[in-house]
Amino acid sequence: MEKMWAGRFKKELSEKVNDFNSSITVDSRMYAEDIKGSIAHATMLGATGILKASDTDKIVDGLFAVLSDIESGALEIDSTAEDIHMFVEAELTKRIGEAGKMLHTARSRNDQVALDTKLYTLVQIDEIAFLTKELIETILKLAKEHKSTIMCGYTHLQKAQPITFAEHILAYANMLMRDVTRLSDCKVRMNLSPLGSCALAGTTYCIDRQMTAKALGFDGVVANSIDGVSDRDYCIELASAISIIMMHLSRFSEEIILWNSWEFKYIELDDAYATGSSIMPQKKNPDIAELVRGKTARTYGDLITLLTMMKALPLAYNKDMQEDKEALFDSIDTVKLCLPIFSDMLSTMTVLSENMAKSAECGFINATDCADYLTKKSVPFRTAYKITGNIVAYCIDIKKTLNSLDLEEYKQFESLFENDIYEAVDMKNCVEKRTSEGAPSLKSVEKQIELVEAFLQK
Ligand code: ARG
């Protein structure tokens, strides 16, 4: 196919270079955005009198026909075309003749590609936010079922303090809530139309940028034409927001993998959400969580690709920027793949509450409560800490727990110990006494649940 820019060239582009230069296999997914953008542009050219009404009508009707033919499968996108913009324009011209050649008046592929990518990305952001909210919903449901499921909380992956399963997973709900707000934040900055920036320096035609921006649902226009064509911050911001979502899913995956191991056995993954080994008949592997953790790497890679691609580019458009879409789309596709399957994995797994409770019984996770008991009897915290440390060391030696130690033994360390120490170190009480805001007591967790519910209703 002859190139639209063939005018100043004496030779045809070599096939190899054509393949190298082409981005159609990547950007063809933006065909609907490209056509919508062109319809808005042509309508504006008609309204401002730059094009005759009859030509505008032919272009708009022709574009609608191309759109519906691509959608129905009647028109196949030519994989040898340079990009989706060239393909649509060439197809239009093939169908309507001369009028088709007027579409690109007062426009460049530079503002066109920025427009298409923004239009595509804006829709994707909504979809990612929706899927993230669905995952929050799944976590919320689990949290509601496990408000009283005692679990061991960790720091340094060492047993630390008693919590509940609800408290633990609500931490993830909070991370994901921040993710949703990050997505809508980047949408606010992204939502300005670059159309009309043209190649880089606007145009001598009296175009109406506000009109096309409004027709396409933007909040306004990019204020500077050079910025309009050379900005890719919106891709980077989204890839960064996605990387953070994936980082959260990856941390959660890591815990699922640990909890599903024989060493922990806090949960049992559903058979439909785990896989076997080709050689070891006993295996039930947490492949979904592992793959989500693994795929996090590619979203980081995509973010670094975008940042590195942009780091030394002079203004305005450079062909390097064609590489943006592969990274951006990969990152969008990856997070959209991971969010729903992760959610399904969580909602189908069995929480083994008894194992969690049993594990919480050992490891002296109520030692802080023992020290707090003495502190409340006027022993300075550091002294109470030391006494409790000595008691723990003693218990380890004689294989006892803080709950099974005799009162006489307690008294050997500090005479202030009374019978109520057993209440103080009882795991359930340890959790219930943690009533500070955001803590694991039933009341505090219920308040947290309300906050998540309010967020989801927004
Ligand atoms: N396929 C190109 C891209 O994705 C479209 C813009 C081309 N602009 C140009 N001046 N060659 O970036």
Side-chain angles (χ1 to χ4, degrees), residues 170-382:
L170 281 169
Y172 286 107
N174 278 274
M175 298 176 211
L176 294 164
M177 274 155 44
R178 283 198 297 280
D179 288 327
V180 172
T181 60
R182 240 184 300 275
L183 289 170
S184 43
D185 281 354
C186 85
K187 212 174 140 183
V188 172
R189 279 179 294 278
M190 186 186 299
N191 208 359
L192 296 174
S193 170
L195 190 61
S197 299
C198 303
L200 78 162
T203 175
T204 53
Y205 287 99
C206 271
I207 56 169
D208 186 346
R209 292 189 62 202
Q210 301 291 339
M211 184 183 169
T212 45
K214 209 166 159 215
L216 292 166
F218 286 101
D219 291 336
V221 301
V222 178
N224 176 285
S225 61
I226 297 182
D227 189 38
V229 290
S230 53
D231 166 38
R232 291 296 182 270
D233 290 3
Y234 56 95
C235 303
I236 296 170
E237 277 194 54
L238 178 57
S240 155
I242 290 174
S243 294
I244 299 174
I245 298 177
M246 290 300 295
M247 178 267 288
H248 292 151
L249 294 190
S250 186
R251 293 184 76 179
F252 208 162
S253 295
E254 173 71 15
E255 300 210 292
I256 295 286
I257 294 162
L258 285 172
W259 296 343
N260 188 61
S261 69
W262 282 108
E263 284 74 8
F264 279 76
K265 265 293 158 245
Y266 286 1
I267 56 148
E268 178 78 34
L269 290 173
D270 190 79
D271 274 3
Y273 288 85
T275 54
S277 152
S278 58
I279 173 171
M280 297 166 279
Q282 84 285 10
K283 284 301 239 10
K284 184 170 165 187
N285 295 329
D287 287 31
I288 295 175
E290 290 172 278
L291 268 176
V292 168
R293 190 177 57 183
K295 283 177 188 291
T296 302
R298 46 190 306 158
T299 62
Y300 293 2
D302 295 329
L303 173 62
I304 297 299
T305 296
L306 289 166
L307 284 168
T308 315
M309 180 198 83
M310 292 300 287
K311 80 178 263 288
L313 290 191
L315 300 180
Y317 177 85
N318 299 271
K319 191 67 176 233
D320 313 46
M321 289 154 81
Q322 178 166 283
E323 288 291 309
D324 62 356
K325 284 168 286 300
E326 202 166 337
L328 180 67
F329 296 166
D330 182 69
S331 130
I332 291 170
D333 294 347
T334 303
V335 76
K336 283 174 72 180
L337 191 68
C338 292
L339 281 165
I341 197 148
F342 194 87
S343 183
D344 291 349
M345 176 187 70
L346 287 188
S347 59
T348 53
M349 75 186 186
T350 309
V351 177
L352 302 172
S353 309
E354 268 177 35
N355 291 353
M356 283 192 188
K358 221 184 286 158
S359 159
E361 288 302 328
C362 54
F364 303 97
I365 63 178
N366 45 3
T368 315
D369 301 85
C370 178
D372 284 345
Y373 169 89
L374 290 176
T375 312
K376 282 172 189 160
K377 297 202 169 188
S378 302
V379 179
F381 182 75
R382 275 293 152 237

Side-chain angles (χ1 to χ4, degrees), residues 23 27 83 85 109-110 113 317 319 322 325:
S23 58
D27 59 34
D83 54 31
H85 327 293
R109 264 188 303 159
N110 297 350
V113 72
Y317 177 85
K319 191 67 176 233
Q322 178 166 283
K325 284 168 286 300

